[in-house]
């Protein structure tokens, strides 16, 4: 089973940048898509971004387009989320996920999840 470990969360001010990392124990066909989701208190889990290991094709949630960038390093089995121009509404626990994911914006398409990392943006 693929294990995912996130890192890089923290407390920043509005307008700052932060980079999250997600290290996967392995890359498999069933985990061809890697994604980031986030969940704020009292809210549903929200799709942030996704990337395919093989092609590098990416997709983004509307609320982060133009500010966040997802990338991967296949040699390190690691996916990154570069977050720029952070806003207080970006405050959430950010989760890394892996799955076959035909519908990559849907959380239930992912079978493996990391433990989450807290991102807090102060105004």
């Amino acid at each position: 089973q693929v294990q995912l470990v996130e890192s890089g969360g923290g407390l920043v001010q509005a307008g700052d940048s932060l980079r999250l990392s997600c290290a996967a124990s392995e890359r498999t066909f069933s985990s061809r898509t890697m994604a980031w989701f986030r969940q704020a208190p009292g809210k549903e889990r929200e799709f942030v971004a996704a990337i395919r290991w093989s092609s590098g094709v990416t997709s983004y949630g509307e609320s982060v387009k133009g500010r966040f960038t997802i990338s991967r390093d296949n040699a390190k089995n690691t996916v990154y989320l570069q977050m720029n121009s952070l806003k207080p509404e970006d405050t959430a626990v950010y989760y890394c996920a892996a799955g076959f994911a035909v519908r990559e914006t849907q959380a239930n398409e992912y079978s493996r999840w990391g433990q989450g990392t807290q991102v807090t943006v102060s105004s």
Side-chain angles (χ1 to χ4, degrees):
Q1 296 278 20
V2 176
Q3 304 294 321
L4 304 175
V5 178
E6 300 111 330
S7 61
L11 171 64
V12 297
Q13 293 186 333
D16 285 351
S17 298
L18 204 58
R19 189 177 81 157
L20 305 182
S21 300
C22 173
S25 58
E26 59 182 322
R27 289 186 285 123
T28 66
F29 180 71
S30 63
S31 62
R32 67 174 187 174
T33 303
M34 298 293 293
W36 289 95
F37 286 78
R38 66 187 183 186
Q39 189 164 19
K43 295 187 176 181
E44 292 188 353
R45 194 162 292 193
E46 177 189 13
F47 170 74
V48 175
I51 190 167
R52 294 278 177 92
W53 280 121
S54 57
S55 65
V57 172
T58 60
S59 61
Y60 295 92
E62 286 298 322
S63 62
V64 305
K65 278 184 180 179
R67 298 188 299 122
F68 290 12
T69 302
I70 190 171
S71 61
R72 91 278 194 224
D73 185 332
N74 287 17
K76 295 182 179 180
N77 288 352
T78 300
V79 172
Y80 304 98
L81 184 68
Q82 177 67 42
M83 305 184 293
N84 298 329
S85 302
L86 282 161
K87 304 175 182 180
E89 50 264 44
D90 294 318
T91 295
V93 177
Y94 282 71
Y95 295 93
C96 178
F100 190 78
V102 174
R103 297 170 298 171
E104 56 197 15
T105 64
Q106 303 300 305
N108 59 11
E109 295 274 322
Y110 296 87
S111 55
R112 307 300 298 175
W113 292 83
Q115 80 285 357
T117 185
Q118 177 71 46
V119 172
T120 303
V121 184
S122 63
S123 57

